[in-house]
């Protein structure tokens, strides 16, 4: 379960699930920023490789609830239930092949889809139901690109997808891209806001309270401060666009 | 489990429960404001309809711990264990008939009742024990009214029971009352602090960052801001008394 | 599971555990301050007496990840898996006899030991594996003393180990010490920053919004404010060293 709410709303969803399947083992992924579909897609994608096959994910970051947005089930190695707004596709795609089913809407439309639509469907699938029991296969669904960046010679523009609980700043640049760029030359530092930040392998390669860039456990380029808070240190928050200069 | 603490205190309670019943499936409802019995009663009531019959709730919002306040078990479709301070009655009542048992106190009195009294009793009930094994039936218990409001012609006074994780402001006015008031005329707006706020059906019926009033998923009147924080926008917090004027 | 992160990082660890043992019943203890090994050791020790024998704890407060610090399994009545930095020893010791095994490191070293080393080992132990399957017994491990205090006549110096969710300030002075000191005379108050604070048995022995000292449910001396926040009231935070004067 990954949502942008938590609290009593998640509790109601868990009650709904346990009513249908009393043996369900429910894990909270985390609470993402309100209405932040991109952060939700990124974080859900970052954890799915560690979950068992056939795990059923309920993802609810749903600013469009109550509008015409569709609801979907995404079936691959793992199963995803939630709104058709891009949230579920990057995690599903990262696991390989998948099919998308559009959930047939009920009338009248319920108020809280997480509790009234997604949780009961997820619970029934955990009991043996199939995606096609709830809707029809479709090729029409919303995709988002959570690895949005641009490289022009020495300049990289990217997005801050997430600031974690330590204040580490996680960007939209995947490991492969940064390794390729670094391999081309002897560049071992990035300039951000005029500060030179060394690229490193672990958090401890720099002095205490000193910033560094590294490939973190989310597998993207991130900025950290050794035993400090990079978000505060650098003045960067989730959703910001930042421009980096590669230093030789 | 609903408390006003969380953290290591809830963890100790969970340990106690799992020692007695290793198969217990424990769900956190949410953490309410410190000592806020009314908010706790409201939130617990808002989730119980979604939980299975025979769910056992441990509710610990207990400013009177260490005083003469009694401890109770409330037995209805679901079972509630906690302090006799009003917290457990609105949720139990919302599910229909119920009986209250006063827990026979132990000597010497333990320091942390959540961990030392309520959690072990809840766990033993989940293992098959009965309320009468821990005390005697009573008609004397504390009730609180969490739907406290007053209507005089066009003026409604009510209480803010809860501000949710999005900043939505949830009042003490239940759906029935507001629907009746709205049905009497063509009123479709409420005035709060001199601001006219339209009554709407979904969060998206107004422009972005604009306030609205609606019946939310807690089934009470609430104020929200489309993709914003109504608590900050309106300067209202949990426990406030607010006065609304119905606009024609 | 006790960590200084939570969120998506704990979720990945839970996925790893459920992949190995789908029946694992995972409980979050709490999230401690970033890199605060002493607070983590104290809080884990405060909850272990309430958990069943053979509970497996994964403790990850690990500022030294990526350095030469060892990883250990501590086997006693309950089992602890985590870094060799002192975190796991006070909780293990509080339960009686224990043995320490140094985990044989894998090559190349993984980036996130909580997810890639500790969680899989804990899960395999929950499935029946033994500590000796993952390393060799050792007498060489790091111990920390979380009951660090000094008494000179009427003056006690101690450390603030934890500020809880209510703002209660929990010190490094255990119950036994404070009871002995209080027994020697008729002292019933402590002076802190020139304020006289009565020693009491329950939170309600003083007026509302008034500070008191007591033995709390962590079994150490703590400062509280009746229905208030002692940390804010006294201006004290986790990690502070404070000096108390016993008043006759």
């Amino acid at each position: 379960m990954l949502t942008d709410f938590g609290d009593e709303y998640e509790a109601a969803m868990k009650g709904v699930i346990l009513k249908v399947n009393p043996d369900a083992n429910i894990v909270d992924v985390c609470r993402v920023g309100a209405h932040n579909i991109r952060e939700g897609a990124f974080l859900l994608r970052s954890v799915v490789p560690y979950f068992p096959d056939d795990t059923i994910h309920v993802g609810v970051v749903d600013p469009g609830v109550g509008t015409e947005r569709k609801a979907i089930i995404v079936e691959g190695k793992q199963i995803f239930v939630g709104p058709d707004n891009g949230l579920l596709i990057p995690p599903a795609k990262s696991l390989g092949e998948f099919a998308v089913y559009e959930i047939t809407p009920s009338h009248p439309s319920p108020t809280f889809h997480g509790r009234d639509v997604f949780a009961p469907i997820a619970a029934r699938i955990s009991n043996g139901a199939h995606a096609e029991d709830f809707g029809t296969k479709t090729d029409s669904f919303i995709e988002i690109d959570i690895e949005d960046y641009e490289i022009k010679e020495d300049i990289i523009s990217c997005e801050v997808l997430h600031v974690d609980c330590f204040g580490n700043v996680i960007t939209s640049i995947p490991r492969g891209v940064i390794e390729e760029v670094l391999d081309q030359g002897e560049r071992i530092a990035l300039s951000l806001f005029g500060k030179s930040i060394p690229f490193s392998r672990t958090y401890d390669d720099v002095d205490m309270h000193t910033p560094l860039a590294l490939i973190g456990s989310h597998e993207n380029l991130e900025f950290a401060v050794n035993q400090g808070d990079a978000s505060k240190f650098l003045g960067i928050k989730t959703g910001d666009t930042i421009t980096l200069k590669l230093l030789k």
Side-chain angles (χ1 to χ4, degrees), chain A:
Chain A
M1 189 174 290
L2 175 140
T3 72
D4 63 350
F5 35 83
D7 295 343
E8 73 273 20
Y9 297 112
E10 282 207 356
M13 290 172 63
K14 290 174 186 173
V16 165
I17 291 169
L18 293 170
K19 229 178 198 169
V20 176
N21 179 356
D23 297 322
N25 200 338
I26 308 170
V27 171
D28 291 312
V29 172
C30 62
R31 186 177 156 195
V32 304
H35 313 302
N36 196 335
I37 296 166
R38 299 175 68 77
E39 187 181 27
F42 175 67
L43 290 176
L44 193 51
R45 191 188 66 174
S46 79
V47 302
V48 293
Y50 302 101
F51 276 82
D53 286 355
D54 298 323
T55 297
I56 302 159
H57 301 275
V58 186
V60 194
V61 183
D62 196 12
V65 67
T67 65
E68 296 297 297
R69 76 105 184 82
K70 297 185 292 183
I72 55 174
I73 302 166
V74 186
E75 203 177 50
K77 264 194 195 159
Q78 298 177 31
I79 295 160
F80 301 83
V81 185
D84 176 31
N85 60 17
L87 176 70
L88 307 177
I89 305 304
K93 197 177 247 182
S94 74
L95 297 169
E97 303 265 305
F98 64 90
V100 177
Y101 294 80
E102 180 179 344
I103 296 170
T104 308
S106 55
H107 296 281
S109 176
T111 45
F112 175 16
H113 288 212
R115 181 190 68 196
D116 304 331
V117 180
F118 307 140
I121 289 177
R124 289 171 61 192
I125 293 175
S126 78
N127 270 350
H130 297 281
E132 58 263 36
D133 300 337
F134 306 101
T136 51
K137 211 166 169 173
T138 179
D139 289 329
S140 160
F141 54 86
I142 294 175
E143 281 205 73
I144 58 173
D145 178 11
I146 55 170
E147 272 157 4
D148 203 17
Y149 58 85
E150 199 174 29
I151 307 182
K152 279 194 186 159
E153 297 183 3
D154 279 4
I155 305 295
I156 307 180
S157 295
C158 65
E159 185 188 346
V160 173
L161 285 174
H162 177 54
V163 172
D164 78 6
C165 50
F166 293 111
N168 298 328
V169 170
I170 295 136
T171 75
S172 55
I173 307 177
R175 173 193 284 276
V177 168
I178 203 74
E179 283 180 342
E180 195 178 306
V181 167
L182 289 173
D183 278 355
Q184 287 170 9
E186 295 303 301
R187 285 149 180 154
I188 52 164
L190 296 157
S191 170
L192 176 63
F193 305 148
K195 285 182 182 117
S196 171
I197 300 177
F199 185 85
S200 182
R201 288 188 56 80
T202 82
Y203 294 103
D204 287 299
D205 279 358
V206 298
D207 291 338
M208 291 266 283
H209 310 301
T210 299
L212 71 159
L214 76 168
I215 306 296
S217 58
H218 291 89
E219 298 292 312
N220 276 29
L221 179 72
E222 73 181 59
F223 292 98
V225 167
N226 187 7
Q227 301 202 23
D229 183 315
S231 173
K232 283 187 191 157
F233 187 91
L234 299 168
I236 299 177
K237 59 183 198 310
T238 302
D240 285 357
T241 298
I242 54 176
T243 302
L244 307 170
K245 190 169 189 302
L246 298 168
L247 300 178
K248 303 205 180 194

